[in-house]
Amino acid sequence: MVKVPPWLGEVAQTENARCKDMMSRILTSLATRETARIVDIQRDAEGHWRKLMALGIAPGRIITVIQRFPTFVVEVGHTHAAIDRQMAGLILVE
Amino acid sequence: MGIKRWFQRKGKQQAEGIETATIVILGSPNVGKSVLFHKLTGRYVTVSNYPGTTVEITRGAMRYRGRSYKVIDSPGMYSFNPITDEERISRRLLLQQKPELALHVVDARNVDRMLPLTLQLIEAGLPVILVLNMIDELERDGLRLEINALRQRLNVPIVATACHNGRGIQELKEQIHAYLAR
Amino acid sequence: MPTSPVEIPLPYSPEIEEAIASLKPILQGSYPISPRALSLLLLQGDEEALDQVREQEGQDAFERAQAVRTRLQDRLSEPVEWHIAQSRHQWGQALVEGALERNAPKKSRGLGEWLGMLCMNPITGFPILALVLYFGLYQFVGIFGAGTVVGLIEENLFGEIINPAVTAFVERVIPWQPIQQLLVGEYGVWTLGVTYAVALILPIVTFFFLVFAVLEDSGYLPRLAMLIDRAFKALGLNGRAVIPIVLGFGCDTMATVVTRVLETKRERILTTFLLSLTIPCSAQLGVVLALLSGHPKGLLIWTGVMIGVFLIAGWLAARVLPGAPAPFYMEIPPMRFPNISNVIVKTLARLQWYFLEVFPLFLIASLMVWIGQLTGLFDLALRALQPVTQWLALPSEAAVAFLFGFFRRDYGAAGLYQLDEQGLLSGNQLLVVAVVLTLFVPCVAQFLVTLKERGWRMALGMLVFTLAFALLVGVFLSWGLQALGIAV
């Protein structure tokens, strides 16, 4: 069972049920230097998913966690981006 | 100054081709739009290695082969659907100015994720030249981009540049000229 | 590899294409973008597009368009926007497929990459930040710029050569004393306004902007933003706010303008507040360093008090103002050696801005001082400030420093240097003055920019709060030092 960060609320609850079927997990569960494929970006009500898409963080892409603390740093394609835990929590990987 | 002299001067300016067309520079934050603006117009704007520096719109003029074009540098814009104020400003600028040419500047290494905006511009019916900036960084990463293939697929002019050292600027000016002087 | 041109515009899913087709007869007006692009914006509920359509096609057509949108959304499992974004993203990938290839192994970026990682690692990142602050800000801007260079320009060039000449000239040409006072008097337009701006502020700000441009160009700032994001969240901000905050150490006025890069109104207000209360600009830093130059322990306590106030005030403000910090995301560009000409161009551009925007305000300030003195308003204000100096256990002359601090911070400080030289101020008193002067009201320029950016209500509110808060901290510090028997 994937832990649901409280800020994701209901969206995450339903997403969580879905991601269990697909054997996917939230990006925040990856260790440093771990690579995975993005299966989905959760559509939060505030539309933060659009910012992730703009950074090239989209379903189908390969993502590597470079650093976890104090903030997440990820590599997608040739982009390095810093995203906080809240943004990272929107990314579902397998 | 007499009104007659004013008209004479206006006429002369027109003969010299004073600001016949408007060019808007746009693209995501941090792809080198402001440096390109400087290279095209000779005007200085504050340029940065972090997103969101061009908060205000900067205007200048580019002179090339006896013609003069109005060039506008816009704040960073990821997509045609604005999220931030900057993006809203950029889109409004694009829609109100109805530029004769839009230079979409992208980071060559990340061209795949920046192409959606190019596609949106084409979709909107705006005339676009795609500027693949920081091509030197791409080469440094051991990558090669087949520009001809991309050009054929997209069917818009594409120029590879490395704005900070001036590479490709001449070709870009030539392309702009070719596009607008038609 | 296929090289045939792609049919652009590319087709979206059949549902979306149908919706675009049914919008086509509705959109009859003339728009700056193609009907197809406009339709897509409408289907995604873009407000500006909706307004345009309502305006051009009328309420009836607008409602029909809305109905198309609702119908489409009902047919799709996900938001329309998501479907469209997905398609575009996939096209981007597909178009580059096969055209972008690796022909050599990735070269290591060597030193830059390594340094970039060190800057982001909290264990090494914070010591690096300390080094940057110590060498960049303290040694280069503070000691060299504000000390050595200002000394040369202000004392030698202006103090001994230019100003006596200008004063003699004005006194000979204009016999009328109030006008002489306005131009070359103690607080005159030339002696106060121009001298201050050119001989004092200009060198300090130039040095700061140089350092800032190097930090910017190297790619250090996004790494700092990433490092500090968590700490800033406690202050209701996110890492993005480091840009205006760091810039504030150069010029709070410019930094207040730059708060525009922040995404939410709440963040802009909180940052403006912190800038006006706690972040000392380079001119203030110069003053504080000069005041406390003989008291290293005092300088240490001053730094501690400032950091403490920054954290406490930020934390409290974030609790008072409703809302949550916006999530943080930022691209991290490669770390690289700054391009010298770029650094110079940037510094010059900022200096140009500084001169056009801030310089006139200093001239207005000297005009205001002149009027204040001529009309006796200043004497009244000074008398009102007398009890305040008593609470702070300071000589009554300190009131002059506070009043003028608003117009020209170093001028207030100049009076204090004299008191200090006469041995009338203890180290503790200097420390209290330095703290109050730093927290105290922002300078005229910053106040006016705050007024412009945040509105008069916010600007006045901050002004009153900052005044009260500065004095409160001063009083507490004064008592605290006495109670603990600390002498610096």
Side-chain angles (χ1 to χ4, degrees):
Chain A
M1 178 76 185
V2 183
K3 232 177 84 195
V4 181
W7 58 75
L8 287 174
E10 279 182 15
V11 187
Q13 297 289 351
T14 52
E15 288 293 336
N16 207 17
R18 208 151 49 121
C19 74
K20 222 168 77 180
D21 306 335
M22 301 191 310
M23 297 286 289
S24 60
R25 46 192 185 140
I26 296 183
L27 182 87
T28 49
S29 66
L30 292 189
T32 308
R33 283 280 147 210
E34 207 175 330
T35 295
R37 174 199 292 276
I38 301 171
V39 288
D40 203 3
I41 305 289
Q42 304 184 9
R43 269 77 74 194
D44 58 328
E46 292 86 6
H48 297 310
W49 62 267
R50 292 183 292 184
K51 297 172 187 169
L52 290 172
M53 293 282 284
L55 289 168
I57 302 174
R61 311 229 36 198
I62 304 297
I63 190 166
T64 305
V65 175
I66 306 279
Q67 200 174 323
R68 291 175 49 95
F69 186 83
T71 306
F72 280 82
V73 178
V74 296
E75 183 177 5
V76 175
H78 302 278
T79 304
H80 282 224
I83 49 175
D84 64 10
R85 185 164 274 275
Q86 185 180 349
M87 294 283 266
L90 297 175
I91 305 168
L92 295 177
V93 295
E94 62 174 7
Chain B
M1 181 165 58
I3 195 149
K4 199 174 149 198
R5 202 131 43 96
W6 186 82
F7 274 115
Q8 276 170 352
R9 216 179 53 150
K10 272 279 155 218
K12 209 171 139 212
Q13 280 177 353
Q14 268 161 17
E16 282 170 2
I18 282 292
E19 311 212 330
T20 47
T22 303
I23 302 165
V24 171
I25 300 176
L26 50 94
S28 321
N30 212 18
V31 292
K33 292 187 297 294
S34 298
V35 186
L36 177 65
F37 176 82
H38 170 55
K39 293 284 174 185
L40 292 181
T41 64
R43 263 198 67 181
Y44 297 131
V45 277
T46 329
V47 279
S48 274
N49 199 2
Y50 65 69
T53 347
T54 310
V55 196
E56 283 174 343
I57 294 152
T58 326
R59 289 158 212 273
M62 167 185 144
R63 288 189 181 78
Y64 189 70
R65 296 205 180 186
R67 280 177 178 255
S68 182
Y69 306 103
K70 186 168 160 192
V71 185
I72 302 175
D73 186 19
S74 65
M77 176 185 198
Y78 280 115
S79 104
F80 221 68
N81 303 30
I83 319 171
T84 61
D85 281 350
E86 287 178 276
E87 288 184 296
R88 233 158 265 138
I89 293 168
S90 286
R91 192 177 77 172
R92 211 167 295 154
L93 174 85
L94 207 56
L95 298 188
Q96 283 168 0
Q97 289 289 330
K98 294 183 194 161
E100 275 72 23
L101 185 58
L103 300 181
H104 182 208
V105 189
V106 301
D107 171 356
R109 285 172 307 167
N110 293 307
V111 58
D112 52 351
R113 74 169 163 92
M114 296 185 176
L115 274 179
L117 181 57
T118 321
L119 293 170
Q120 288 174 75
L121 296 171
I122 298 172
E123 206 170 58
L126 291 161
V128 186
I129 292 183
L130 181 60
V131 182
L132 300 171
N133 195 23
M134 303 193 240
I135 197 80
D136 54 334
E137 299 265 347
L138 178 134
E139 287 160 1
R140 245 179 83 178
D141 277 354
L143 296 167
R144 196 170 62 97
L145 186 60
E146 277 194 48
I147 292 163
N148 274 328
L150 198 58
R151 190 181 289 132
Q152 272 167 344
R153 288 175 190 179
L154 268 177
N155 207 15
V156 296
I158 301 179
V159 183
T161 59
C163 285
H164 62 96
N165 64 21
R167 182 174 149 194
I169 297 295
Q170 186 57 33
E171 194 199 332
L172 178 60
K173 283 185 177 175
E174 193 54 48
Q175 287 275 0
I176 292 171
H177 180 75
Y179 200 103
L180 292 174
R182 278 193 309 215
Chain C
M1 175 192 343
T3 47
S4 58
V6 182
E7 199 60 44
I8 292 177
L10 290 150
Y12 294 89
S13 69
E15 293 91 347
I16 293 173
E17 287 298 332
E18 269 172 46
I20 294 172
S22 41
L23 279 175
K24 206 171 178 185
I26 301 175
L27 304 174
Q28 296 296 324
S30 75
Y31 299 94
I33 51 172
S34 70
R36 184 179 172 82
L38 181 69
S39 303
L40 285 163
L41 287 178
L42 282 181
L43 295 174
Q44 294 173 88
D46 184 273
E47 276 176 27
E48 273 178 50
L50 287 168
D51 285 347
Q52 276 266 326
V53 169
R54 196 206 309 257
E55 206 175 283
Q56 292 211 31
E57 316 289 350
Q59 188 64 27
D60 187 44
F62 171 75
E63 270 160 28
R64 268 185 292 147
Q66 285 281 40
V68 174
R69 183 183 153 213
T70 321
R71 211 157 49 230
L72 172 65
Q73 188 57 74
D74 288 345
R75 289 178 70 187
L76 298 172
S77 54
E78 300 287 342
V80 179
E81 213 186 338
W82 170 258
H83 281 274
I84 294 176
Q86 280 289 88
S87 299
R88 285 178 182 150
H89 180 79
Q90 281 157 11
W91 296 337
Q93 300 289 308
L95 282 163
V96 177
E97 181 81 38
L100 186 62
E101 282 169 336
R102 183 167 295 285
N103 62 354
K106 188 182 174 187
K107 267 184 240 156
S108 168
R109 287 172 175 274
L111 191 67
E113 196 170 9
W114 182 70
L115 199 63
M117 284 201 3
L118 289 185
C119 290
M120 292 199 291
N121 187 325
I123 297 164
T124 43
F126 285 106
I128 290 175
L129 175 61
L131 286 179
V132 167
L133 290 177
Y134 179 76
F135 285 105
L137 207 61
Y138 180 77
Q139 286 293 345
F140 189 65
V141 181
I143 302 296
F144 182 65
T148 316
V149 177
V150 168
L152 282 175
I153 300 180
E154 215 248 331
E155 284 161 32
N156 300 357
L157 186 66
F158 271 81
E160 285 164 20
I161 302 166
I162 299 179
N163 282 0
V166 173
T167 307
F169 176 76
V170 169
E171 278 170 1
R172 210 176 54 228
V173 176
I174 304 166
W176 201 38
Q177 215 247 338
I179 297 293
Q180 279 180 11
Q181 204 64 30
L182 171 67
L183 294 174
V184 294
E186 222 178 339
Y187 313 106
V189 171
W190 179 271
T191 28
L192 190 148
V194 178
T195 309
Y196 180 51
V198 175
L200 229 121
I201 300 294
L202 184 67
I204 301 177
V205 173
T206 308
F207 279 95
F208 178 83
F209 286 160
L210 267 175
V211 172
F212 192 73
V214 167
L215 292 181
E216 253 184 323
D217 218 41
S218 63
Y220 178 70
L221 289 178
R223 287 172 171 81
L224 180 59
M226 170 264 162
L227 198 62
I228 218 104
D229 175 59
R230 277 205 172 193
F232 270 29
K233 287 271 169 65
L235 309 180
L237 302 169
N238 71 31
R240 209 166 278 270
V242 293
I243 291 158
I245 297 279
V246 173
L247 191 56
F249 285 101
C251 174
D252 281 318
T253 309
M254 184 179 277
T256 305
V257 177
V258 170
T259 56
R260 285 182 204 161
V261 304
L262 303 175
E263 281 178 41
T264 64
K265 199 178 157 202
R266 180 171 184 265
E267 288 170 282
R268 284 178 226 140
I269 292 170
L270 287 172
T271 312
T272 308
F273 169 69
L274 286 174
L275 284 171
S276 91
L277 181 67
T278 60
I279 304 297
C281 68
S282 47
Q284 272 177 302
L285 281 173
V287 168
V288 169
L289 288 179
L291 278 178
L292 296 175
S293 58
H295 308 272
K297 212 160 60 167
L299 195 60
L300 211 66
I301 296 178
W302 175 85
T303 312
V305 170
M306 283 307 137
I307 294 174
V309 170
F310 178 80
L311 294 178
I312 293 167
W315 190 82
L316 286 176
R319 301 272 131 356
V320 171
L321 216 59
F328 173 69
Y329 66 99
M330 196 179 250
E331 253 184 273
I332 309 280
M335 198 89 176
R336 59 178 182 227
F337 195 81
N339 180 318
I340 304 296
S341 75
N342 223 353
V343 165
I344 291 169
V345 162
K346 258 189 254 193
T347 306
L348 288 176
R350 290 221 166 88
L351 283 175
Q352 188 196 356
W353 177 90
Y354 187 83
F355 253 77
L356 293 177
E357 301 282 321
V358 181
F359 185 69
L361 296 176
F362 284 127
L363 295 185
I364 294 172
S366 9
L367 206 68
M368 281 157 76
V369 173
W370 179 69
I371 294 170
Q373 281 192 313
L374 215 63
T375 53
L377 275 174
F378 264 39
D379 290 332
L380 277 176
L382 284 178
R383 223 163 297 149
L385 277 172
Q386 298 288 333
V388 174
T389 56
Q390 277 162 19
W391 300 334
L392 296 168
L394 296 172
S396 57
E397 288 86 342
V400 183
F402 294 140
L403 184 60
F404 289 153
F406 183 60
F407 298 102
R408 177 185 164 182
R409 284 184 213 258
D410 80 302
Y411 199 84
L416 294 168
Y417 299 144
Q418 280 171 8
L419 291 178
D420 186 29
E421 272 164 23
Q422 292 159 13
L424 293 174
L425 283 175
S426 68
N428 282 10
Q429 285 175 320
L430 280 172
L431 172 60
V432 171
V433 167
V435 165
V436 177
L437 269 183
T438 318
L439 293 177
F440 209 55
V441 192
C443 75
V444 184
Q446 191 187 353
F447 176 71
L448 292 176
V449 165
T450 307
L451 202 79
K452 199 173 124 198
E453 297 279 320
R454 299 284 99 83
W456 64 270
R457 203 180 297 210
M458 197 68 78
L460 277 181
M462 281 187 197
L463 186 80
V464 171
F465 179 83
T466 323
L467 257 167
F469 194 80
L471 294 175
L472 200 71
V473 173
V475 169
F476 271 110
L477 181 65
S478 174
W479 289 352
L481 290 172
Q482 214 165 19
L484 296 171
I486 298 171
V488 299

